[in-house]
């Protein structure tokens, strides 16, 4: 059973829609992450938050906008996405930036 | 920047066969190493990790991995696989120190165990 939950588990959206992905960790961690897992490509780190401050933005297009209101919650706001943004989006958390990361089940996103 | 190479895309074994999955990394400094597993329909789970100390690391479900620094390798092994080991296995590395949250993954190896 995972200590990191993500909603929704599946999302289909058009290119003009605005949607948000939600992640919640129940592990008492203080760092949270967004990853993208595309077919036939390694997981790619997108954003990193530590103590609710963003510490990394790996050249991610501005159509992806993260938000970390507190150490337990992380959002990924999506707008005007492209079909190539279809992927599995994974959230992870850790106790400090140097500790092991624990992953949620992911949101399978399809952009039409 | 670091990179990870997993040599096998898909491995098919019969139950009770021995398993070794290759992982090599590229990075100029010291690293932390991980193996994660993703069972069908489930989330990514930590199998084992190496931070320092004994280079032979034991993980859950009978898996182990050996860090060979001279070869930049961290191969995963299990002496006798079971059908329930069918999953996708990911090797990952972070630099130790600055940027240690930069978890870089390999492309994964899919393991199919035939009963």
């Amino acid at each position: 059973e995972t200590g990191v939950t993500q909603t929704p588990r599946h999302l289909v959206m058009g290119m003009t829609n605005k949607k948000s992905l939600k992640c919640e960790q129940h592990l008492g961690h203080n760092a949270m992450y967004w990853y993208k897992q595309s077919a036939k490509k390694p997981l790619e780190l997108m954003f990193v938050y530590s103590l609710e401050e963003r510490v990394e933005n790996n050249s991610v297009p501005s159509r992806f906008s993260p938000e970390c209101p507190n150490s337990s919650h992380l959002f990924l706001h999506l707008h005007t996405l492209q079909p190539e943004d279809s992927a599995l989006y994974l959230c992870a958390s850790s106790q400090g930036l140097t500790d092991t990361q624990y992953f949620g089940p992911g949101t399978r996103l399809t952009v039409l | 920047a670091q990179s990870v190479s997993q040599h096998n895309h898909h491995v098919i074994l019969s139950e009770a066969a021995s398993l070794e999955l290759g992982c090599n990394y590229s990075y100029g400094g010291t690293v932390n190493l991980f193996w994660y597993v993703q069972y069908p329909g489930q989330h990514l789970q930590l199998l084992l990790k190496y931070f320092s100390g004994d280079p032979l690391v034991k993980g859950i479900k009978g898996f182990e991995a050996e860090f060979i620094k001279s070869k930049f390798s961290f191969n995963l092994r299990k002496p006798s696989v079971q059908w329930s080991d069918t999953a996708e296995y990911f090797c990952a590395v972070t630099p130790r120190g600055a940027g240690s949250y930069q978890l870089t993954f390999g492309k994964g190896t899919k393991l199919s165990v035939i009963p």
Side-chain angles (χ1 to χ4, degrees):
Chain A
E1 187 61 37
T2 179
V4 181
T5 57
Q6 291 186 241
T7 54
R9 295 293 306 275
H10 300 271
L11 178 63
V12 180
M13 58 187 289
M15 290 191 286
T16 57
N17 291 157
K18 287 185 180 181
K19 297 286 184 183
S20 294
L21 309 185
K22 179 183 175 183
C23 174
E24 183 173 1
Q25 60 93 5
H26 312 274
L27 301 169
H29 290 167
N30 56 23
M32 297 187 78
Y33 311 77
W34 280 116
Y35 286 85
K36 177 182 179 182
Q37 187 177 26
S38 306
K40 301 191 188 304
K41 292 177 69 175
L43 273 82
E44 304 168 60
L45 180 65
M46 299 175 71
F47 299 105
V48 181
Y49 277 82
S50 175
L51 300 170
E52 299 135 52
E53 297 289 325
R54 193 190 308 181
V55 298
E56 185 68 54
N57 174 355
N58 266 0
S59 304
V60 179
S62 59
R63 57 185 184 269
F64 295 91
S65 174
E67 179 191 1
C68 188
N70 55 62
S71 59
S72 298
H73 294 87
L74 184 66
F75 295 88
L76 188 62
H77 305 298
L78 316 171
H79 64 98
T80 58
L81 294 192
Q82 305 298 311
E84 59 264 29
D85 297 323
S86 299
L88 182 68
Y89 289 85
L90 294 172
C91 174
S93 71
S94 64
Q95 183 53 41
L97 291 173
T98 59
D99 207 353
T100 304
Q101 295 177 30
Y102 293 88
F103 286 80
T107 295
R108 175 70 63 187
L109 174 67
T110 302
V111 181
L112 302 176
Chain B
Q2 62 271 25
S3 65
V4 177
S5 174
Q6 291 184 244
H7 316 300
N8 308 103
H9 177 61
H10 193 184
V11 173
I12 302 172
L13 294 173
S14 298
E15 273 194 322
S18 64
L19 170 72
E20 181 159 3
L21 301 183
C23 172
N24 285 89
Y25 68 92
S26 171
Y27 183 68
T30 52
V31 294
N32 296 326
L33 295 153
F34 305 82
W35 276 98
Y36 282 87
V37 61
Q38 192 167 30
Y39 297 102
Q42 295 190 30
H43 65 281
L44 209 58
Q45 301 172 42
L46 181 69
L47 201 54
L48 50 79
K49 62 184 179 183
Y50 172 79
F51 280 19
S52 63
D54 188 343
L56 184 61
V57 181
K58 295 194 183 300
I60 60 172
K61 303 185 181 187
F63 286 90
E64 65 179 29
E66 185 175 13
F67 171 47
I68 302 179
K69 188 175 180 180
S70 60
K71 294 185 178 180
F72 298 89
S73 70
F74 191 56
N75 292 355
L76 181 70
R77 300 194 293 248
K78 186 172 184 179
S80 176
V81 294
Q82 301 171 307
W83 176 79
S84 58
D85 294 324
T86 295
E88 191 156 16
Y89 293 81
F90 296 89
C91 182
V93 61
T94 64
R96 210 174 292 169
S100 57
Y101 52 81
Q102 289 274 9
L103 191 57
T104 300
F105 284 85
K107 290 186 177 181
T109 298
K110 192 169 292 188
L111 173 65
S112 299
V113 180
I114 302 167

